[in-house]
Amino acid sequence: MAAGRVPNTEDLCTDCEWAPNTETLHLEKCGVKITPRKYVVVDEYQNTNVENIYALGDVCGVVELTPMAIAAGRRLADRLFSSNPIHTTSKVSYEYVPTVVFSHPTIGTCGLTEPKAIEKYGQENVKVYTSRFSDSHYGIFDVKPEDKPKTVMKLVCAGLDEKVVGIHVLGMGSDEMMQGFGVAMKMGATKADLDSCVAIHPTASEELVTM
């Protein structure tokens, strides 16, 4: 394709790689360790290898989300400055972080993908539930059922108790769903817990508790 020309296409996907802007900080002069990709190396408490120098957020390259950085900053501030003994070991958790891609339709995800769950727990210990349907929002649209936008859901469960270790949704409203289901996952929800929840009808999210 010639430079400056836009291809004749219906769909175009672009990808932009993130890189931390740490070079101008000259961290090497302080002895702070950084990775080959310029991320700052920290432990689970946001400590660098140099005493009294901390790092958090995107610059650490763990979970690169603004709310994640805010949460890490709050836990670090609690540990460093709070007089409450409960905060002496305060640290942020990077497990089960709800994440959304604000595409059209939106994509919501929390926890492990199916391959990652199999890698962690073993194929025989992972059970997956899926669903694909047309959102009731499109019920009155004068469109053939097969042409209506679809919502796709996946529950990834592990162990005999079928602990929910991954929830993935592509479809209308997935961004709003993930916050609540993220709380459930942080509390250790199992498939049986979801099944015991009475569905709200008509909603798309009811599918996650009726699979």
Side-chain angles (χ1 to χ4, degrees):
M1 183 176 66
R5 294 192 61 188
V6 178
N8 182 19
T9 179
E10 293 182 0
D11 301 290
L12 183 63
C13 181
T14 61
D15 182 31
C16 180
E17 183 178 12
W18 291 90
N21 186 19
T22 57
E23 291 186 359
T24 57
L25 297 176
H26 302 294
L27 296 175
E28 68 281 356
K29 295 184 182 296
C30 303
V32 174
K33 290 182 180 178
I34 58 174
T35 71
R37 293 187 61 196
K38 308 302 181 184
Y39 287 107
V40 180
V41 178
V42 295
D43 63 14
E44 60 184 333
Y45 293 98
Q46 311 303 146
N47 299 308
T48 67
N49 61 300
V50 178
E51 189 176 2
N52 295 324
I53 296 182
Y54 312 93
L56 55 86
D58 292 7
V59 76
C60 300
V62 184
V63 177
E64 298 181 42
L65 297 168
T66 300
M68 188 77 255
I70 293 171
R74 286 174 173 168
R75 299 296 85 75
L76 178 60
D78 286 342
R79 184 168 63 85
L80 294 179
F81 307 114
S82 175
S83 59
N84 190 331
I86 198 173
H87 291 144
T88 55
T89 57
S90 181
K91 63 179 179 179
V92 74
S93 170
Y94 290 99
E95 187 177 40
Y96 301 134
V97 177
T99 306
V100 170
V101 179
F102 290 99
S103 51
H104 300 281
T106 50
I107 304 169
T109 180
C110 186
L112 301 176
T113 62
E114 182 179 347
K116 286 294 184 182
I118 291 172
E119 181 182 313
K120 181 174 181 178
Y121 297 102
Q123 178 78 62
E124 68 282 2
N125 296 314
V126 173
K127 188 169 184 179
V128 174
Y129 299 84
T130 61
S131 182
R132 185 175 187 271
F133 59 95
S134 296
D135 194 295
S136 58
H137 172 83
Y138 301 105
I140 63 172
F141 284 40
D142 187 19
V143 180
K144 293 181 180 179
E146 61 269 22
D147 293 333
K148 292 179 180 180
K150 299 296 185 291
T151 293
V152 183
M153 295 179 170
K154 175 183 280 191
L155 286 177
V156 183
C157 304
L160 293 175
D161 61 347
E162 291 193 308
K163 179 182 178 181
V164 180
V165 296
I167 295 181
H168 312 284
V169 181
L170 184 154
M172 176 181 286
S174 63
D175 46 344
E176 298 295 343
M177 296 180 211
M178 293 315 301
Q179 192 71 79
F181 282 102
V183 173
M185 290 183 66
K186 294 290 285 186
M187 296 178 70
T190 64
K191 178 65 166 57
D193 290 325
L194 297 189
D195 293 341
S196 70
C197 182
V198 177
I200 302 173
H201 183 77
T203 65
S205 59
E206 68 178 303
E207 196 75 13
L208 288 171
V209 300
T210 56
M211 284 189 190

